[in-house]
Amino acid sequence: MVTMVLLPDKQFTQELIQVQEKLIFLNTAEDYNRTTPFALASKVHFIQSRRRKTVRLYPRYGSSLSNMIYVCSPGSCTRLAWSIASLTLLVCLLLVRGRMGEHGDELSPLSTIHEQGSSLSFRDHALLSSLRLDGSLTFSNTSSAASDFGRIRYSLPGAILYPKSVRDVELAVRAVQSSKGSGLTLAAKGSGHSVHGQAQALRGVVIEMSTLKGIKVAPNGEPGFRHPFVDAAGGELWIDILKATLREGLAPRSWTDYLYLSIGGTLSNAGVGGQSFLFGPEISNVLQLDVVTGTSQLVKCSPTKKSDLFHGVLGGLGQFGIITSARIILEPAHEKVRWIRAMYTDFATFTRDQEMLVTQAPESAFDYIEGFVVLKNKDSSHGWNSVPFDAKKIDPSIIPEEGGSVLYCIELVKKFSPNHMDTLNKTVERMVAPLSFIPTLIFTIDVPYEKFLNRLHEVEISLDSQGLWNVPHPWLNLFVPRSSIGLFDALIFKQMIKDDFSGPILIYPLNRNWWDSRSSAVIPDESIFYLVGFLRISLPSSGALLGNLIADNDKIMQVCHSAKLGCKKYLPEYEDTESWKLHFGKKWGSFTRRKQKYDPDFILAPGQNIFSKSTESRSL
């Protein structure tokens, strides 16, 4: 069998492909953001030099050489010429296959292509084929689970399971666990909104959790617990939870900004948003979980029952089990919200106001607090004209000259019912009175509660219509300690953010006291810390190259490390064990203990790159 490996990776490692029993080395590339898989195969040229021959692939978008370079070993040069036709055909077949999803959807440019071939061994294929499932399992058209929202990594699985029952998940885990010595792994995939391939399983099994359905609202709770809650399957999306609970006049208390995410996916990370300062992240609002562990056991756990597994799974990056169901606490839903944005030039004033707001008593606090950085220009996407709700153009003359290269915007929401409109204005006026924003730069709008929570879906639709949604998303999310946020502004916002920055920059404070220290989630060890999100996109035909954006993220991390800012990655991704140890810090011991207890064969969530299903990894 001939296997082609395309692995441009920031580690600049080399992989081999075999052609006519000779070796061709792949030199990793600096960047090829503009090259789609199909375009890679569009032009192939062989260039002979004095000591070696190279195969260079030209991108579709221009005539300049791509950085994708295949370097032939000396022993293969004499046989290369007659294999041109077969190699070109191989490139085309493999890359076009990688381009098409299960339903024919085109994948956008991918920065790290792990491996195009992903065949299972005969034994593993037979093992999985023998499962008596309620759902279905496929060994073909697996490219739909090979990429994710980040479109940075591409790892083709050997099989995809579409479960119809929790029993299907148990059977799959048991089968993979029993495949001793094969290296077979398994990953649960929700909406595929990860950025660095965290829900992928190269040559393994991906469970498409979206086919595992079930939402049951309990508006009156149950005997012994009279608070309303909802039981939802792990593959259900938060937007569907919202719609189901609103029919009962209820809603979850804590949300992420984007609702087309799966329950299991967000709870495996944390689930952070503008309500987190008041109710904690989504993992702090879970009453109970059903989890299939790496030992194929279905376990019902809660803060008082099997609590070690419960807290481990929450924020556990999928390492200890697959969430098949979650019980989430609900509160009465409001009909409308008043949505406010106000602008600042001074960062210290901006953060002082944010911290004052998130430390108020719940009864006198806003219901949502976030903030973002605005470029100091008139751009309607990321400049000051992106702040008004009605596309109003801000007169540059009212932008104060003081400050640096960026501005700051605070975002607030107060929920209300229409029959309380007579007191709403006075209430909001009293709440914003202590704030020191630019008086002429405050904007308000009243919108339905559901429309506000689902506000980013309209952005998605707009970007998708322009071909700007299914593009690479080299996002970087950080938790920054309060004690470091001023220096972070000076070193990052004011020095590293340029006018061509493409994407929102979020910044808002969170309260540590709403985070349970027993969970696996990692946060700074301070009472208040900030979520800072660099949500950049890599445009397909203009803007900075993907490799440059990833390099910029690395530079930000280097600056944070050099300045000892104490930042922690949210939605983390690292390439080596030492970096993961540094990330988890004092939690590394409990994290590895839980791994050995609940997934002793290291089969779960290989895309996180924390543990490897190898003999060496078992001696943690």
Side-chain angles (χ1 to χ4, degrees):
M1 177 177 291
V2 177
T3 301
M4 174 166 286
V5 180
L6 302 177
L7 182 54
D9 190 271
K10 60 186 178 182
Q11 295 296 316
F12 292 91
T13 57
Q14 290 188 334
E15 294 292 332
L16 306 179
I17 60 176
Q18 186 176 19
V19 176
Q20 302 299 335
E21 300 179 350
K22 297 297 181 180
L23 295 179
I24 293 181
F25 292 84
L26 168 63
N27 280 5
T28 52
E30 175 187 355
D31 190 87
Y32 54 98
N33 152 261
R34 303 181 185 187
T35 307
T36 65
F38 183 76
L40 282 175
S42 63
K43 292 185 180 180
V44 181
H45 291 268
F46 293 85
I47 302 173
Q48 184 171 2
S49 64
R50 184 174 181 180
R51 295 187 178 180
R52 66 184 183 183
K53 288 189 177 182
T54 63
V55 180
R56 296 180 183 263
L57 301 183
Y58 287 73
R60 174 186 297 173
Y61 300 106
S63 58
S64 62
L65 287 175
S66 166
N67 289 319
M68 297 283 291
I69 303 174
Y70 298 81
V71 183
C72 301
S73 64
S76 66
C77 289
T78 59
R79 306 183 67 177
L80 181 62
W82 66 266
S83 63
I84 289 176
S86 59
L87 175 60
T88 303
L89 178 60
L90 176 63
V91 172
C92 293
L93 289 175
L94 289 175
L95 293 179
V96 171
R97 180 185 178 188
R99 175 178 179 259
M100 305 305 295
E102 181 181 5
H103 303 291
D105 298 329
E106 180 176 348
L107 299 180
S108 60
L110 302 169
S111 142
T112 305
I113 304 179
H114 277 296
E115 185 167 333
Q116 293 282 4
S118 62
S119 58
L120 296 171
S121 69
F122 177 82
R123 178 180 178 275
D124 289 338
H125 192 287
L127 174 66
L128 295 171
S129 299
S130 68
L131 299 180
R132 296 179 176 273
L133 301 167
D134 299 315
S136 61
L137 186 142
T138 181
F139 301 98
S140 60
N141 296 322
T142 60
S143 59
S144 63
S147 185
D148 57 18
F149 181 69
R151 300 195 178 257
I152 294 172
R153 297 182 180 269
Y154 187 93
S155 299
L156 199 65
I160 301 178
L161 169 65
Y162 299 92
K164 289 295 184 182
S165 64
V166 175
R167 173 181 167 276
D168 285 352
V169 178
E170 293 179 81
L171 288 175
V173 174
R174 186 174 299 120
V176 173
Q177 186 195 19
S178 69
S179 62
K180 306 292 186 182
S182 72
L184 192 62
T185 58
L186 181 146
K189 174 178 172 288
S191 64
H193 209 265
S194 55
V195 176
H196 291 278
Q198 288 94 331
Q200 295 172 12
L202 180 63
R203 295 188 301 272
V205 180
V206 169
I207 302 181
E208 284 281 3
M209 297 296 290
S210 59
T211 60
L212 192 61
K213 297 293 187 180
I215 299 175
K216 182 180 180 181
V217 182
N220 300 313
E222 64 180 11
F225 186 82
R226 294 301 180 183
H227 203 287
F229 62 80
V230 58
D231 286 327
E236 292 283 5
L237 302 182
W238 286 96
I239 180 62
D240 296 318
I241 300 297
L242 175 63
K243 292 177 179 179
T245 56
L246 283 178
R247 288 193 286 269
E248 301 289 344
L250 300 166
R253 303 188 303 185
S254 185
W255 297 95
T256 54
D257 292 335
Y258 182 65
L259 302 187
Y260 287 77
L261 305 175
S262 70
I263 304 300
T266 56
L267 297 183
S268 294
N269 288 278
V272 178
Q275 302 86 0
S276 297
F277 80 96
L278 195 58
F279 297 110
E282 288 176 340
I283 60 173
S284 296
N285 293 274
V286 179
L287 301 172
Q288 180 177 283
L289 294 172
D290 287 343
V291 177
V292 176
T293 69
T295 61
S296 73
Q297 292 182 302
L298 176 61
V299 181
K300 189 178 295 295
C301 54
S302 69
T304 58
K305 181 179 180 181
K306 307 289 185 181
S307 62
D308 183 65
L309 178 62
F310 177 81
H311 294 299
V313 167
L314 295 174
L317 307 178
Q319 292 298 310
F320 316 124
I322 297 172
I323 298 173
T324 59
S325 180
R327 176 167 293 182
I328 300 159
I329 197 168
L330 303 175
E331 67 170 2
H334 286 70
E335 296 179 52
K336 304 190 74 175
V337 304
R338 174 151 296 179
W339 191 358
I340 304 166
R341 288 177 177 168
M343 295 178 65
Y344 294 74
T345 56
D346 182 67
F347 185 74
T349 304
F350 167 71
T351 53
R352 182 197 65 201
D353 282 359
Q354 279 194 320
E355 291 172 16
M356 180 268 292
L357 290 171
V358 301
T359 54
Q360 290 179 328
E363 61 272 13
S364 58
F366 280 98
D367 299 297
Y368 163 102
I369 297 173
E370 285 194 12
F372 51 93
V373 175
V374 180
L375 300 180
K376 206 167 187 180
N377 60 43
K378 61 181 180 180
D379 185 84
S380 59
S381 298
H382 309 298
W384 60 62
N385 281 327
S386 64
V387 177
F389 297 106
D390 54 4
K392 176 183 177 181
K393 299 295 183 182
I394 296 177
D395 185 347
S397 65
I398 64 176
I399 303 291
E401 294 183 0
E402 68 266 17
S405 58
V406 295
L407 300 167
Y408 311 96
C409 179
I410 196 169
E411 191 167 47
L412 309 168
V413 160
K414 185 63 179 176
K415 296 184 288 190
F416 69 94
S417 298
N419 56 353
H420 293 154
M421 283 293 296
D422 54 336
T423 61
L424 176 66
N425 292 336
K426 292 182 179 180
T427 299
V428 171
E429 183 178 349
R430 172 180 53 79
M431 296 177 73
V432 301
L435 306 182
S436 300
F437 51 84
I438 302 169
T440 55
L441 293 175
I442 182 171
F443 307 91
T444 66
I445 187 174
D446 294 347
V447 298
Y449 178 60
E450 182 178 1
K451 180 180 177 65
F452 167 73
L453 290 178
N454 198 28
R455 62 198 177 278
L456 291 189
H457 187 51
E458 293 182 4
V459 177
E460 175 187 357
I461 293 173
S462 175
L463 291 175
D464 191 40
S465 68
Q466 304 172 60
L468 300 177
W469 185 253
N470 293 316
V471 297
H473 294 81
W475 286 7
L476 175 64
N477 289 281
L478 301 174
F479 290 139
V480 183
R482 177 189 187 185
S483 61
S484 301
I485 197 65
L487 185 55
F488 188 96
D489 170 63
L491 296 176
I492 308 298
F493 293 152
K494 288 188 169 66
Q495 293 188 29
M496 299 183 67
I497 304 304
K498 308 301 181 182
D499 283 346
D500 61 350
F501 191 94
S502 178
I505 305 174
L506 304 180
I507 173 171
Y508 54 91
L510 302 166
N511 289 321
R512 181 182 176 84
N513 59 358
W514 273 105
W515 295 67
D516 195 316
S517 61
R518 294 170 293 179
S519 79
S520 295
V522 177
I523 59 176
D525 192 17
E526 292 190 9
S527 59
I528 292 180
F529 58 95
Y530 282 77
L531 181 284
V532 178
F534 299 94
L535 310 184
R536 285 186 275 202
I537 62 173
S538 179
L539 301 177
S541 59
S542 63
L545 296 175
L546 177 58
N548 294 338
L549 299 181
I550 294 175
D552 287 344
N553 289 344
D554 291 339
K555 290 177 184 176
I556 290 174
M557 294 308 301
Q558 290 170 7
V559 170
C560 293
H561 179 73
S562 298
K564 299 180 179 180
L565 300 185
C567 302
K568 294 290 186 180
K569 278 188 181 181
Y570 176 54
L571 311 177
E573 49 86 24
Y574 295 101
E575 300 294 335
D576 58 87
T577 302
E578 289 305 313
S579 296
W580 279 111
K581 288 181 179 179
L582 183 63
H583 169 76
F584 281 105
K586 61 184 180 182
K587 286 193 173 186
W588 179 248
S590 62
F591 197 82
T592 56
R593 175 189 60 77
R594 285 167 170 163
K595 183 68 172 179
Q596 291 171 323
K597 180 177 181 180
Y598 300 114
D599 183 24
D601 294 297
F602 299 89
I603 63 174
L604 297 179
Q608 293 284 355
N609 198 36
I610 305 175
F611 304 102
S612 172
K613 189 181 179 183
S614 64
T615 304
E616 291 80 11
S617 66
R618 301 185 188 189
S619 58
L620 296 172

